[in-house]
Amino acid sequence: MHRVLGDRRAILILLGPALLIYTLIMLVPMVWSLGYSFTKGNSIEGFTGNGLDNFTRLLDDPAVHDALWFTLKYAVIVTAGQVIAGYLLALLYVFFLKKASALVRTLAFFPVILPTVAVGLLFQKLFQVAPQPGPVNSLLNAFGLESVDFFGNAGSAFWVLIIMDIWRSMGFYAVLLFAGLVDIPDEVLESARLDGASGLRLIRHIVLPLSLPVLMSSLIFSINGTLKVFDSVVALTNGGPGNGTTPLTLYMFQSSFTYSEYGYGSTIALLLTVVCLLVSLAVYRVSRRDNTES
């Protein structure tokens, strides 16, 4: 193995195809999109350069501000919900259900493999108000409360979207964090119990610090996914009511393919890329600092 890794030709043969595919699929489109940011037009009319006009428009566009705020708000809440719910489920698997957790893990993971459109339709039916009340409104009516048009108001539609995406993905993060928790040595846990640590004290002072690396990995994985949310929004609300639940990804799609403003859509994509990069770097730096302190 050392001989292979020390041979530059072998390294090139092993890594070359993967790097070539990554360059063609990821890097070239990114550079191409960056070039479009300095143009206006579409594939029918042709493209002409417009300097920094797209960036000036981006700074003054209230729709971009609303979409950016929605994206950040959604990403923070859903990331926290996914990781916390997943971690609680992982703790349940490891310390309470133990060997009997296989069935519960399977049931909790099942929503992850469901198509997004199916999950969106399911939650539309659960929270619908017309033509007949869904189960949630029927429950409200049973307690003497009026039906609520959850999708007629941006605030309530936002929270339905939050609930749907946390429910849909917490099983995945539970399995991911479960894999990290089972790697904690039994000797460490037994020593802590002999020293009097149990329950919440054991989790807070022993389990949580030892599972911090996998927690941070889950956090980075989740925040990158939630910042780029698209399919869930399209399936459930399509950005409505109005633009109340429109993230940057959907606004980018609408600008590019609905209004044929490819240059402006590429500029929005560049903004999203910068936001993802900055957030990932911030989380990474915090995780490194916490690991150093630990």
Side-chain angles (χ1 to χ4, degrees):
M1 179 62 69
H2 178 72
R3 181 181 302 175
V4 172
L5 295 178
D7 188 346
R8 292 184 179 181
R9 183 180 299 178
I11 293 175
L12 182 61
I13 293 173
L14 292 172
L15 295 182
L19 289 176
L20 178 63
I21 293 173
Y22 180 81
T23 300
L24 293 176
I25 294 178
M26 298 294 295
L27 298 183
V28 171
M30 287 175 64
V31 175
W32 205 302
S33 178
L34 178 62
Y36 277 132
S37 300
F38 300 96
T39 66
K40 64 178 180 180
N42 54 60
S43 56
I44 297 177
E45 299 174 354
F47 297 92
T48 57
N50 66 344
L52 299 175
D53 289 353
N54 287 327
F55 295 91
T56 304
R57 177 183 172 186
L58 185 77
L59 295 175
D60 297 331
D61 190 351
V64 168
H65 303 160
D66 294 339
L68 178 60
W69 169 241
F70 173 85
T71 301
L72 294 175
K73 180 173 61 172
Y74 169 90
V76 169
I77 296 175
V78 174
T79 296
Q82 288 175 343
V83 176
I84 291 173
Y87 194 67
L88 292 176
L89 282 173
L91 292 173
L92 179 69
Y93 299 159
V94 174
F95 294 104
F96 295 95
L97 298 179
K98 298 180 180 179
K99 294 183 179 180
S101 67
L103 177 61
V104 179
R105 291 204 309 271
T106 303
L107 293 175
F109 192 82
F110 182 70
V112 178
I113 63 175
L114 291 177
T116 305
V117 173
V119 176
L121 290 174
L122 171 64
F123 273 76
Q124 284 180 0
K125 295 297 183 181
L126 284 174
F127 289 90
Q128 74 177 7
V129 66
Q132 59 184 13
V136 174
N137 277 313
S138 297
L139 185 63
L140 293 176
N141 296 337
F143 285 95
L145 301 174
E146 295 184 357
S147 297
V148 177
D149 185 5
F150 288 98
F151 300 108
N153 177 272
S156 55
F158 171 76
W159 287 108
V160 174
L161 180 64
I162 293 292
I163 294 170
M164 183 186 80
D165 276 345
I166 291 176
W167 173 80
R168 178 169 163 251
S169 57
M170 65 181 184
F172 170 79
Y173 289 94
V175 171
L176 189 65
L177 293 164
F178 171 77
L181 291 180
V182 296
D183 282 341
I184 298 176
D186 292 335
E187 296 81 4
V188 174
L189 298 176
E190 289 300 326
S191 299
R193 290 190 179 99
L194 290 175
D195 289 337
S198 61
L200 292 178
R201 289 183 60 192
L202 179 67
I203 293 172
R204 178 183 176 186
H205 296 289
I206 304 298
V207 177
L208 186 58
L210 292 176
S211 59
L212 196 58
V214 70
L215 266 173
M216 285 301 173
S217 299
S218 301
L219 197 63
I220 294 173
F221 192 84
S222 176
I223 197 71
N224 270 292
T226 52
L227 284 171
K228 295 179 286 189
V229 61
F230 179 80
D231 54 349
S232 299
V233 176
V234 173
L236 186 66
T237 66
N238 200 28
N243 293 325
T245 58
T246 300
L248 281 174
T249 51
L250 181 56
Y251 188 46
M252 172 191 67
F253 178 86
Q254 292 171 343
S255 298
S256 299
F257 301 106
T258 303
Y259 307 116
S260 296
E261 296 180 327
Y262 294 103
Y264 190 54
S266 297
T267 309
I268 299 172
L270 179 61
L271 171 63
L272 181 61
T273 302
V274 172
V275 170
C276 290
L277 180 62
L278 292 176
V279 171
S280 297
L281 287 175
V283 174
Y284 178 69
R285 291 194 64 178
V286 170
S287 66
R288 284 193 63 186
R289 185 181 62 188
D290 290 343
N291 288 336
T292 302
E293 292 176 356
S294 299

